[in-house]
DNA sequence: AAGGTTACTTACATAGATGTCAATAGCAAA
DNA sequence: TTTGCTATTGACATCTATGTAAGTAACCTT
C-alpha cells in the first residue's frame, strides 16, 4: 500500500530536515517550523521526523545547535582575520547582525525563550561561550572581549527583532543600529590596541 | 442553570482581563496568555473574553497597547525629570531595561513579531514614537534623542531576552548590559549638554 | 537468495486553543 | 413591576500540532 521513499541514512535525513527547518525559520518565522511543514518540505511525513529527532522539541534543539555552530564558526573566522589585519571591525558587526537577522538566529533564540523551552537555548550559549574561549586564547593579557561580545550580541538581537520598526518610527535609516554598534566596537578595539602598544 | 456572575461594565472587564494577561505574560511568558488562562484568572469563561475583545489577537493587541502606553508614560516622565535636574541617566536606563524585562514589554514585542501578528506591534511603536515626539519638543535645536532611543531600546530588548544567558556564559555580572548602556547614554547626554552650553 | 535491521508510512489518538451560537440572567430604565 | 439591553455562560464545533503503534518495504549482510 504505502510507497516508501528511498531510504536515506539518518545523517542525510537529519541534514535535509535541518536545512528545511532553517529555510522555514528564516522565510516565515518560528511558528512555521512545525513537524508537518518541515516534513512536507523534504517530502516525508511528520512521523518520520519524530523517528529521527524523537520529538518536536528535539528538532528545535537540533536546529539551535546547527545554527549556533555554523554562525559562530563564521564569526570566529572573521575575528581571527581581523586580528591578522584583514578586514574591518565593520565586518564583524555585519556578521553578528546578519547572524541574528537574516540567518535566523535571533528568531530562534527568541522562540526558544518564549516557548519556555529554555534548555534548547543551551547549544547557542554553548557555541558563543566556545567561540569566546577560543578567541581569548589569542588575546593580550588582562583584556578580554567579553564585554564587547555581550554588547554586540545584545544589540544584534534587539536590532534583528525590532530594529526595522524602531528605525521606521524614529525616522532613521535601517542600518543605524549597525552604525552605532560599529562605532562602539571600533572604539573598544582601538583602546585595546593602544593598551597593547603601551604594554608591549 | 448557569449561575451568571455579577455583571461588570465592559471597561471593568477589559481592565481586569488586561491586568491578568499582563501578570501571566510576566510570570510565565507569552505562551501562557491564552483565552482560557486569562479568563480563568479573573473568574470568567473564555467565551467572555471573546465577547469583549472580539478575538484572541484582539486581546493581544489590547495588551500591547496597554503595556506600551503605561511604560512610555513612565519613561517619558523620567526623562522630563532628568531634564529638570532630578535623577540620573541611570534611572532612564534602568527604566527602559525593566520595561523590556520585568514589565514584559520585550516578551510581548517578541511574541508579536514571531507569531507573524505584526500589526499588533503597531501600538508599541506608536507609543514610542509619541514619546519621542513629545520629548523632542523640549530638546535643543538640531539635536534629537532618536539615536539614543534606538540604541537604548535595542539593547534593552536584547538584554531582556538573552542578557541573563549571555552574561552567564561570558562570566559577567547580570547587569553588565545595563552598565554598558548607562555609559553610552551618559556620554551622549554629556556631549549634548556641552553642545547646548556652547550654543547658548 | 534469504533474513534481519530499520527507515518510512498510514491510521489513529489526544490535547489545547480558538471560535460560534443559543440560552440565561443581571442591571438599569421606564 | 415590567421591559429591554447585554454581560455571561455552557455546549458544541473545528483546527492544528504532537505523539503512538503497527505494518510495510528498502537496503545491507550473510
Amino acid at each position: 500500500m504505502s510507497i516508501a521513499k528511498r531510504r536515506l541514512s539518518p545523517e542525510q535525513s537529519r541534514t535535509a530536515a535541518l536545512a528545511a527547518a532553517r529555510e522555514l525559520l528564516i522565510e516565515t518565522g518560528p511558528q512555521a517550523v512545525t513537524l508537518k511543514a518541515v516534513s512536507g518540505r523534504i517530502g516525508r511525513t511528520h512521523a518520520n521526523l519524530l523517528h529521527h529527532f524523537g520529538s518536536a522539541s528535539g528538532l528545535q534543539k537540533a536546529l539551535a545547535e546547527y545554527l549556533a555552530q555554523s554562525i559562530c564558526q563564521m564569526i570566529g573566522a572573521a575575528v581571527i582575520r581581523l586580528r591578522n589585519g584583514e578586514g574591518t571591525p565593520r565586518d564583524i558587526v555585519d556578521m553578528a547582525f546578519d547572524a541574528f537577522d537574516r540567518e535566523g538566529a535571533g528568531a530562534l533564540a527568541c522562540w526558544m525563550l518564549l516557548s519556555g523551552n529554555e534548555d534548547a537555548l543551551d547549544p547557542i550559549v554553548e557555541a558563543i561561550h566556545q567561540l569566546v574561549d577560543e578567541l581569548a586564547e589569542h588575546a593580550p593579557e588582562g583584556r578580554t572581549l567579553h564585554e564587547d561580545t555581550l554588547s554586540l550580541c545584545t544589540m544584534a538581537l534587539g536590532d534583528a527583532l525590532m530594529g526595522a520598526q524602531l528605525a521606521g518610527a524614529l525616522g532613521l535609516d535601517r542600518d543605524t543600529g549597525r552604525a552605532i554598534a560599529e562605532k562602539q566596537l571600533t572604539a573598544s578595539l582601538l583602546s585595546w590596541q593602544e593598551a597593547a602598544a603601551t604594554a608591549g
Side-chain angles (χ1 to χ4, degrees), chain A residues 48-107:
Chain A
N48 188 14
L49 288 188
L50 288 172
H51 173 69
H52 286 296
F53 293 96
S55 66
S57 64
L59 170 63
Q60 292 173 20
K61 192 161 184 171
L63 179 58
E65 206 162 332
Y66 169 64
L67 281 184
Q69 290 206 348
S70 73
I71 288 172
C72 282
Q73 224 165 8
M74 187 174 69
I75 295 182
V79 172
I80 289 181
R81 278 202 300 276
L82 182 63
R83 290 262 173 75
N84 297 337
E86 308 164 32
T88 68
R90 176 68 185 224
D91 296 335
I92 308 292
V93 172
D94 279 340
M95 235 167 229
F97 272 65
D98 283 341
F100 281 93
D101 186 4
R102 287 200 256 293
E103 305 287 329

